[in-house]
Amino acid sequence: MTHTRYAFVKAAWHADIVDQALEGFCQIIPREQVDVFDVPGAFEMPLMARDLARTGRYGSVACAALVVDGGIYRHDFVAAAVVQGLMQAGLETGVPVLSVSLTPHHYQETEHHTAIFREHFVQKGREAANAALAIGKARAAIG
């Protein structure tokens, strides 16, 4: 069965940047075909992705977050857990779960860095949409 709906999960932390991934995604896949879900942060994305994938309504689930070093915990451990969880959600459900989760080595909340990452997330959103379409086509070809 070919799905024409896609789920897009986005973390609320750094929403001014992360929301740009949805903009890029919808430059490729029409907004009318995308259901959007907000979660508090990156750590909540794998559970939401798994739950959405289990519904059987979506051709893929894309998840977007910006995980930065906030000085409280090591952001690389969080980022690794999130990406592993997203992969696990896809493998458990058979629905592609795509990551637009970025972990910059150096991010400062300056106008300059924010502008760079906002544009980068637009591009990553487009890449996720292209990946969603490509994996759907590839999987349909195997019957």
Side-chain angles (χ1 to χ4, degrees):
M1 175 171 154
T2 302
H3 293 278
T4 58
R5 296 215 60 76
Y6 300 87
F8 196 97
V9 179
K10 54 190 182 66
W13 283 94
H14 301 285
D16 58 322
I17 295 171
V18 174
D19 289 357
Q20 297 309 302
L22 176 61
E23 294 302 315
F25 194 85
C26 292
Q27 288 175 4
I28 306 298
I29 295 175
R31 180 66 178 88
E32 308 78 56
Q33 293 177 251
V34 181
D35 294 335
V36 180
F37 301 88
D38 292 300
V39 293
F43 208 72
E44 292 79 21
M45 290 191 315
L47 180 63
M48 180 64 90
R50 187 203 60 194
D51 292 349
L52 290 166
R54 281 184 176 168
T55 69
R57 288 183 241 167
Y58 302 106
S60 67
V61 178
C63 299
L66 179 66
V67 180
V68 300
D69 186 352
I72 298 171
Y73 52 79
R74 297 290 302 159
H75 66 287
D76 47 340
F77 297 133
V78 171
V82 168
V83 171
Q84 182 178 351
L86 294 177
M87 178 60 73
Q88 182 179 343
L91 293 172
E92 283 180 13
T93 63
V95 174
V97 176
L98 309 167
S99 175
V100 187
S101 302
L102 301 181
T103 307
H105 285 288
H106 303 286
Y107 173 75
Q108 299 169 2
E109 292 191 50
T110 64
E111 201 172 301
H112 177 70
H113 268 199
T114 298
I116 289 169
F117 282 97
R118 284 173 58 90
E119 183 54 38
H120 192 60
F121 265 80
V122 172
Q123 177 60 32
K124 291 300 176 187
R126 287 191 294 258
E127 290 173 7
N130 284 323
L133 296 172
I135 192 64
K137 183 178 178 182
R139 294 181 85 205
I142 54 177

